[in-house]
Amino acid sequence: MAYRPERAKEALPGDFGPIGDLYQELSQFPSVVYASVGVGFAAFGGAECLPLYTEWCQPDLGRHQKLQFSRQYILHHDGTAVVPVTPVGVPVEIRDQLLIRMSPTGMRKAVLTHHLEMGQKQEVLEQVWSNSGRVRSINLTALDKHGRVYTDGQFGCFAWSSSETQILYVAERRHPKRQPLFSQDSPPQEGEKPVEARKDEQFLYYDNWGEALSDKSFPVLCVLNIETSKVSVLEGIPEHISPGQALWSPDDKGIVFVGWWHEPFRLGLNACSNRRSALFLLDPSGSSCELLSSDSQAISSPRLSPDRTHLVYLEGPVFGPHRQCLKLQMLSWQTKLTSTVVDIVRTATTGFFGIYSGALPLHCWAGDNHRVLLSTPQRSRKELLVVDTKLGSVKCITAGTPEGSWTLLGIQQDLLVMSCSSPNCPPSLVVGVLPPAGSELELQWTSVEKASVLPDTEWKTLTVHPTVTVEGNHDAGQAFEALLLSPQESKRGENIFPLVVSPHGGPHAVFDACWCPKMACLCQLGFAVLMVNYRGSLGFGQASIESLISHVGVQDVEDTQLAVELALQMEPLDPDRIALLGGSHGGFVCCHLIGRYPEMYKACAVRSPVINMATLLGTSDIPDWRYAVLGLPYCFERIPTKEDLAAMLLCSPIIHAAKVRTPLLICVGAKDRRVSPYQAMEYYRVLRAREIPVKLLWYPEENHAISGVEAGAAVFLNCAQWMIHHLSKESADAESQQAAKTSEV
């Protein structure tokens, strides 16, 4: 039996009681973050045995940190399928590891680790041979050739050369060490001139790449020679370019990399696939740097085919919506000619909705050298697609499966390693052998680690058809979706449940039908949860994305309201107990709703919300966002006009503040580079002055996502307790009386 909201009354303020216990239980399901298939060996009976190495992650709430551990398996491969799977040993905790990569032959492994030595972080690259232990350990910090190694998904790489003698990676450029402003020598003697301050540039501002990348300013490409233990920082990259996502060219004589323009200043890159970038080929000697792609698009994820004859990558437009439908491009290495394999999909006509992946898997090519596999949203599901680069055809392998979200970890030797989950089922690890071209739908999955469906929850997809479209918005008439997660008792009609409504952030993002412990926890507490993919979400075609432009604060808000009204009609939900929960742009939509429908929503909890677009001027790492959502062109030197500022204010939630009656909880990270936390402070003060129940939680060390283990748990628990308290009958009665009193005043 699920928990009920009334149970929250057992917990005193500051004591989360059963809510905390339930969150701790559901957050302990681990997710796999890395997988690698090793070199096969013959087994008894003719089957081939393949070692599978995996890494998993889960929050360690007791130690307030993420716990990483490894698991290993033996896969028995009969040529067409994986028959049994044998676990090897028990999971082993991973400590201090930053990066890991197997060599092309699978015989060597490079591991980047870190440790503290005399208070300073030391980065050490360790190379390990199979069955031989560690044979080389190189302290990169001690070599002092560069700053910290990049381990992020935006710039970072860790690539072996095909000869397995060199490793390519990205690091911060070496900066001069800070010197004291005044000399520490003895004071000048009588008659001598006083010591002058050094005229260095130690306080000069260095631009960085914004939210979640604030320690990334000047990336450089580095090559470590395993045999000599020497590091070379590569020269010859244009000064206006920041390199990343690098790999070796087919002959090991060059470096292929993505370069992002950073002049006149850097714009935020996190969750923004619309930044000007291109594909380059660098001669390691620094004598040349050749442009391989268009230099007026946004490029990412270059991936070489196994026979090293072709390279695929993702390409999209610059500026406009921050995340859009992308092209899959292919470069012939012999001719250096580029062709479009999969074009941008405006409106789906064949059941394929386009590619929206932020990155292709490192191993995405099939062994036949002409099929590419990837995971991407298709409406409210995340599906596995196989692309035939010769035919340009796209086929969905996972359509119709009970699992709503499929993530490809990699394909090696035609063995697919996948993670799959659903809103009511934690991640499972499965493997399958890719059938020959044309027979992909016959693929059979074998479980490696299987999770069980929560016994008392269910989920479904609601399709919402807009009845009224925004004037002049010709692409806005298409349907959108919402995911509903609810307690299973609703099947029997025994209860009606309070509803938590959650529009996603972005705005160009999507809720795919994956496992989310926080949403599952709300459901176990007795709530139904409605996750709304309003028009403008990823996975529904480029036309849907563009339909939101110039209509932010209107279309997204009305779509969310329409989804709520449909859910109330179709499901056993309590119309008098509805709460809102959203982060970033989702918080923007929530704050609009409590101002425009003040009687409908009885509680609201938001994280890092946009409140006043006009006052974001100069405070966000993505200033172009304000212009993009208004449908205005952006250029670096643009200064907003009074008309621009008026338009920004008019589509912001703060203009409805005088109508708000809903109790509001706001959670912000003090180090948020995307949406200034003082946006929340502005709203908090306005509502407090109007005697509206409002509470502001301020997390000093957190950024926009507030994703630290302890802080993330605290945000959820506070939000859950806030909603439970204000949806209770006693609280509702008291707040109704207060609202009436406020109205009289």
Side-chain angles (χ1 to χ4, degrees), residues 270-296:
N270 184 43
C272 299
S273 61
N274 65 340
R275 302 305 184 211
R276 186 184 178 190
S277 48
L279 207 58
F280 295 88
L281 174 62
L282 176 70
D283 183 336
S285 68
S287 60
S288 67
C289 189
E290 177 186 355
L291 181 68
L292 295 177
S293 69
S294 166
D295 64 355
S296 60

Side-chain angles (χ1 to χ4, degrees), residues 44 172 450 466 479 607 688 711:
F44 181 76
E172 180 70 7
K450 185 173 179 58
R607 186 259 308 155
R688 188 175 180 187

Side-chain angles (χ1 to χ4, degrees), residues 149-424:
V149 176
Y150 284 18
T151 59
D152 63 281
Q154 182 64 51
F155 291 98
C157 69
F158 205 42
W160 285 88
S161 63
S162 57
S163 63
E164 302 191 355
T165 59
Q166 299 182 95
I167 294 176
L168 172 67
Y169 60 94
V170 181
E172 180 70 7
R173 189 179 73 188
R174 183 176 179 269
H175 296 295
K177 290 183 171 58
R178 293 188 61 176
Q179 301 294 328
L181 201 59
F182 296 95
S183 171
Q184 300 299 310
D185 299 335
S186 57
Q189 300 296 318
E190 186 176 351
E192 294 181 353
K193 292 183 178 180
V195 177
E196 295 183 353
R198 299 184 182 215
K199 296 181 179 179
D200 57 16
E201 297 182 337
Q202 61 177 311
F203 296 109
L204 183 67
Y205 170 73
Y206 290 109
D207 208 6
N208 60 60
W209 284 104
E211 173 66 25
L213 298 168
S214 58
D215 57 344
K216 313 290 189 300
S217 292
F218 300 98
V220 291
L221 298 180
C222 306
V223 173
L224 171 65
N225 187 306
I226 295 295
E227 296 175 341
T228 64
S229 298
K230 290 185 178 180
V231 170
S232 301
V233 177
L234 303 183
E235 304 289 342
I237 298 172
E239 292 186 358
H240 62 281
I241 295 296
S242 286
Q245 298 185 17
L247 65 156
W248 294 92
S249 65
D251 53 9
D252 273 5
K253 294 181 179 179
I255 306 294
V256 178
F257 70 91
V258 177
W260 287 267
W261 270 249
H262 58 229
E263 295 295 343
F265 56 84
R266 294 160 178 78
L267 291 168
L269 270 181
N270 184 43
C272 299
S273 61
N274 65 340
R275 302 305 184 211
R276 186 184 178 190
S277 48
L279 207 58
F280 295 88
L281 174 62
L282 176 70
D283 183 336
S285 68
S287 60
S288 67
C289 189
E290 177 186 355
L291 181 68
L292 295 177
S293 69
S294 166
D295 64 355
S296 60
Q297 298 293 302
I299 306 297
S300 65
S301 299
R303 304 289 186 258
L304 267 175
S305 60
D307 63 3
R308 307 179 76 77
T309 61
H310 291 84
L311 182 146
V312 293
Y313 59 91
L314 299 174
E315 179 183 284
V318 176
F319 291 139
H322 280 96
R323 298 175 72 186
Q324 307 186 44
C325 190
L326 304 175
K327 293 181 180 181
L328 182 67
Q329 300 284 81
M330 185 167 68
L331 172 75
S332 168
W333 195 258
Q334 182 177 3
T335 64
K336 296 298 190 294
L337 295 178
T338 299
S339 59
T340 299
V341 178
V342 179
D343 210 340
I344 291 171
V345 175
R346 288 199 57 79
T347 304
T349 57
T350 61
F352 168 57
F353 293 88
I355 296 174
Y356 306 88
S357 300
L360 297 174
L362 284 175
H363 299 286
C364 63
W365 284 88
D368 56 19
N369 294 293
H370 70 86
R371 285 181 294 171
V372 171
L373 291 99
L374 58 97
S375 302
T376 190
Q378 299 290 284
R379 298 181 75 86
S380 298
R381 291 172 57 95
K382 188 178 181 182
E383 307 280 18
L384 174 65
L385 306 181
V386 56
V387 179
D388 190 311
T389 60
K390 291 183 177 179
L391 302 177
S393 62
V394 181
K395 188 180 297 182
C396 180
I397 298 179
T398 52
T401 56
E403 298 82 7
S405 181
W406 292 79
T407 299
L408 177 62
L409 300 169
I411 174 171
Q412 295 169 265
Q413 306 171 52
D414 279 350
L415 182 71
L416 290 161
V417 185
M418 307 266 326
S419 173
C420 58
S421 69
S422 296
N424 64 344

